[in-house]
Amino acid sequence: MSVKINENYLLLKSNYIFAEINRRVEEFQKENPNAQIIKMGIGDVTRPLPRAVVEAFDKSVLEMGDADTFMGYGPEQGYKFLIEEIIKNDFKPLGIELSSDEVFISDAAKCDTANIQEIFGLENVIAVTDPVYPVYVDSNVMAGRSGPMQPSGRYEGIVYLPCTAENNFTPELPENPVDLIYLCLPNNPTGTTLTREELSKWVKYAHENNSIILFDAAYEAYVTENNIPRSIYEIEGAKEVAIEFRSFSKNAGFTGTRCAFAVVPKEIVAYDADGKTHDLNSLWNRRQTTKFNGVSYPVQRAAMAVYTPEGQKEIQENIAYYLNNASIVRKSMENIGLKVYGGINSPYIWVKTPENMDSWTFFDLLLKEANVVGTPGVGFGPSGEGYFRLTAFNTLENTEEAMNRITKLSF
Ligand SMILES: *Cc1c(COP(=O)(O)O)cnc(C)c1O
């Protein structure tokens, strides 16, 4: 006996939800080879990259093959040409001023939201919503911040903020002070979001309690309503208390291309054991320059093309396409008497199961009776029990067909 593992890994929940979904779907398909299964469970886009993005990608790949234009290692923080477009197009129009060294280009919001906890001490208390995007929880479990899992399915050392129909998916401020708060808005999995006024309460809370908000805005492009913020920095005072994560995955179809960014304003500080302040921008810069070597040049050129007028036009069309699917799902579910949430500022629709059915029973019912696959809400946390997630990431034809089949069922 010599090499020891990081035993925190043993605390992770083993049965990953999507593996179990696949197992059930494969088994059903084997028994019913003729069933035309429609998948509305996966959180992955289906529309291709915009033309302008592909052209920029293509051009920059050719540059890499020419001695005169070849690019080696780039800046770990990302190229200025992309950072400047981001600031100019994503933040300036919202009245948010950022300097170029406050934006860090990366290959994933998944990695950024998982890695950010590294710059914080292990003694910090973290708070997550329930249901939750599993990355926030699991990355803290691996680091050793969670303690063991309780029979309720929640970790002992993590503070959970339930989001259910009862509180209109608006998490309540924690009773006891917490240090780090993960908020994903518009939310995955519920598709719901907070208004400016509701988010302001969290910024105020963070100021009053010396907390920091880790704000995942991966779905900001789906915001359609005026009173819903696209960035947490729209809220006064947020720059002192919030880090924001963005991604080109869900707006521009980069899930297979990989590009994202984190905003770490210079105003945010945290404390050492002696009570001395340290700015998080420097810590994150140190972390990234040590452990990350930047996103490839062609990918950053491709991401830059997202901001061209042609790129924007296609992206807006794609988002409108998904939101139209979402609206069809919403209406169809409402027509058969189910309660639905989300799907207005989000590609996700969160359905309350009929007759208080549990999430997996509803999953099996839809699979068997309608050959439609969704995601059981309980897979995102105990408060997701009794809910079901459907996504708008599919063709219009498949979405309509799936809804026709479900509409014929009686619950
Ligand atoms: C899809 C998604 C992301 C984006 O992840 P990438 O790694 O950039 O593809 C981030 N957060 C949430 C909640 C998501 O659903």
Side-chain angles (χ1 to χ4, degrees), residues 56-87:
F57 209 173
D58 191 40
K59 181 165 166 277
S60 54
V61 168
L62 294 176
E63 283 177 48
M64 296 297 266
D66 184 332
D68 290 338
T69 48
F70 168 76
M71 306 287 277
Y73 287 125
E76 291 97 337
Q77 303 87 345
Y79 284 105
K80 283 274 181 338
F81 62 72
L82 176 56
I83 293 173
E84 263 145 33
E85 287 300 311
I86 288 170
I87 293 173

Side-chain angles (χ1 to χ4, degrees), residues 43 107-111 113 133 136 184 188 216 218-219 246-250 254-255 258-260 348:
D107 60 349
K110 181 181 190 174
C111 302
T113 54
Y133 180 58
Y136 316 148
C184 173
N188 176 12
D216 186 343
Y219 296 94
R246 296 263 190 127
S247 171
F248 294 99
S249 285
K250 311 297 167 31
F254 272 55
T255 51
R258 316 299 318 133
C259 200
Y348 298 122

